[in-house]
Amino acid sequence: ATKPTLGYWKIRGLASGIRYQLAYSNVPYDEEVYEQGDGPEFSRAAWYDVKHDQGLTYPNLPYLRDGSFSLTESGAIQRYCAKKWCPTLLCDDDMETYGKAEMAWGVVLDIKGFVATQCYVGDGDKKKLADAAIPRFGLIAKELSENKFMIGDRICCADFAFVELVEVMDFISDGEIFKVYPSLKAYRDRVFELPRLKECLEDEKRLAFNNKVAKIGNM
């Protein structure tokens, strides 16, 4: 069987959570990488020039190709990969666990949307963004002071997206988030102790969090 292919910008961004999950699931894959041009233009031509030639229903980055099937949207990609290669991550063996896993996904997306947007459209003041973002982690931090992972003792798709968001916040806040919420530090360490994830994180650290045009996390 051919390996799946993950297409994305040459950054961590929305792909890190997918890469962590594929590493955890022990799925080898290829990558197609698109690099944004340098300033002041910050050209997206590397992707835009080929965007509509990829056979994607809703062309976007990241995308996943698996044989003759392709899909976009990072959440859909993570769930598809879970369903195919590591079904326990869907937590759908009973309704309550499934509901919690889906709820966790929504909570992560809300916070991630706020933080990522401010990295691109804000004024580039890391301290100001940290002060605005840190309180948004309070409820999850409380849950994680009592649970190993977001929904309890077992890991779900949302954990791979959330642990990268914690990484982003550690960077933005210069470690302050771990002083405010020690449970997030313990959680981060716990996730990266899982098989193959430490090596995956080392690979991610070679990349910037955000694209070159961002005000924060662009190098």
Side-chain angles (χ1 to χ4, degrees):
T2 55
K3 290 191 283 188
T5 299
L6 180 64
Y8 196 54
W9 295 109
K10 191 181 175 181
I11 59 171
R12 291 170 72 159
L14 292 167
S16 290
I18 301 168
R19 290 191 284 250
Y20 297 148
Q21 184 179 315
L22 287 170
Y24 176 81
S25 307
N26 210 6
V27 178
Y29 61 96
D30 294 319
E31 293 193 83
E32 290 173 357
V33 179
Y34 303 88
E35 186 167 7
Q36 182 167 43
D38 293 329
E41 295 86 8
F42 297 113
S43 168
R44 293 182 173 87
W47 165 240
Y48 282 176
D49 287 354
V50 299
K51 178 175 180 176
H52 296 288
D53 308 329
Q54 304 289 324
L56 299 167
T57 310
Y58 300 107
N60 209 345
L61 295 176
Y63 61 73
L64 183 85
R65 284 187 215 294
D66 181 30
S68 61
F69 181 65
S70 302
L71 76 163
T72 51
E73 299 302 323
S74 55
I77 290 170
Q78 281 193 235
R79 289 181 182 89
Y80 174 87
C81 291
K83 181 88 172 162
K84 180 157 185 180
W85 291 296
C86 195
T88 58
L89 293 174
L90 290 174
C91 301
D92 62 355
D93 33 359
D94 71 77
M95 287 314 300
E96 286 187 17
T97 310
Y98 177 70
K100 282 185 184 174
E102 288 297 298
M103 179 169 66
W105 189 264
V107 171
V108 173
L109 284 193
D110 286 347
I111 307 175
K112 188 175 179 64
F114 171 78
V115 173
T117 301
Q118 292 307 309
C119 286
Y120 282 91
V121 305
D123 56 12
D125 186 332
K126 281 171 70 180
K127 174 80 171 70
K128 193 163 91 181
L129 175 53
D131 290 346
I134 286 173
R136 293 170 183 250
F137 288 79
L139 291 174
I140 303 183
K142 181 174 176 292
E143 285 296 305
L144 288 170
S145 66
E146 298 157 15
N147 294 303
K148 282 172 68 175
F149 302 110
M150 285 196 77
I151 65 164
D153 283 340
R154 61 187 289 187
I155 197 161
C156 67
C157 290
D159 283 293
F160 298 107
F162 184 61
V163 80
E164 177 66 2
L165 183 54
V166 171
E167 281 278 293
V168 172
M169 280 305 300
D170 177 32
F171 164 76
I172 291 171
S173 72
D174 292 320
E176 181 65 25
I177 192 163
F178 292 149
K179 294 182 190 138
V180 179
Y181 304 124
S183 65
L184 292 185
K185 172 78 167 72
Y187 166 78
R188 178 207 170 278
D189 294 346
R190 199 177 301 126
V191 172
F192 287 120
E193 285 297 324
L194 293 168
R196 295 172 293 280
L197 284 216
K198 198 166 273 172
E199 298 79 3
C200 190
L201 176 62
E202 290 311 309
D203 286 340
E204 294 299 307
K205 284 181 173 175
R206 297 178 198 151
L207 299 169
F209 285 112
N210 295 316
N211 241 329
K212 294 176 187 178
V213 71
K215 314 278 200 307
I216 294 175
N218 58 1
M219 51 194 295

